Amino acid sequence: MRETIRKAAPKAEETISYQMPTFKQGRNLVHFAAFKDHVSLFPGSSGVGYFEKELAKYKTSKGTIQFALDKPIPYGLITRITRFRVREEEARSAKKKG
């Protein structure tokens, strides 16, 4: 998961936030964490909402996606979600700068 996110967000800073590995580029892009039966990606509500149709087969909440460990992890989808968050933060930053 970390390697996939790193490739999708090469300028992002890696840190720990909310006791989870986090990628930041200005603000938080995504967090991720492993649990007993799943791995979660936390791209925020915009990341979950934008990919709602593609995420229909996964358990989601407002800002979280759960990937069951007994099924293949969709690294391509994780890449697209991370790139979406990078573009979103770059647009927000550019707008803020005027």
Side-chain angles (χ1 to χ4, degrees):
M1 178 89 64
R2 178 188 170 272
E3 185 177 322
T4 298
I5 297 168
R6 165 72 23 231
K7 286 180 182 177
K11 295 178 185 176
E13 170 191 353
E14 293 183 64
T15 188
I16 300 293
S17 183
Y18 300 102
Q19 299 179 330
M20 292 182 284
T22 302
F23 285 79
K24 297 175 102 170
Q25 193 167 317
R27 300 189 321 178
N28 291 341
L29 295 174
V30 296
H31 311 275
F32 68 96
F35 299 91
K36 182 179 176 185
D37 298 321
H38 67 276
V39 176
S40 287
L41 180 69
F42 303 86
S45 59
S46 63
V48 173
Y50 188 83
F51 292 90
E52 183 177 6
K53 289 180 184 175
E54 289 182 76
L55 295 171
K57 63 182 178 181
Y58 303 102
K59 185 174 181 181
T60 62
S61 65
K62 183 178 177 182
T64 307
I65 308 158
Q66 290 184 8
F67 302 109
L69 293 177
D70 62 350
K71 295 184 172 71
I73 303 293
Y75 293 109
L77 179 57
I78 292 167
T79 295
R80 290 192 308 280
I81 292 168
T82 303
R83 287 181 180 158
F84 168 81
R85 289 289 298 124
V86 168
R87 288 189 307 272
E88 191 174 52
E89 285 305 312
E90 286 174 345
R92 184 197 64 79
S93 179
K95 185 177 180 182
K96 187 176 178 180
K97 290 179 182 178

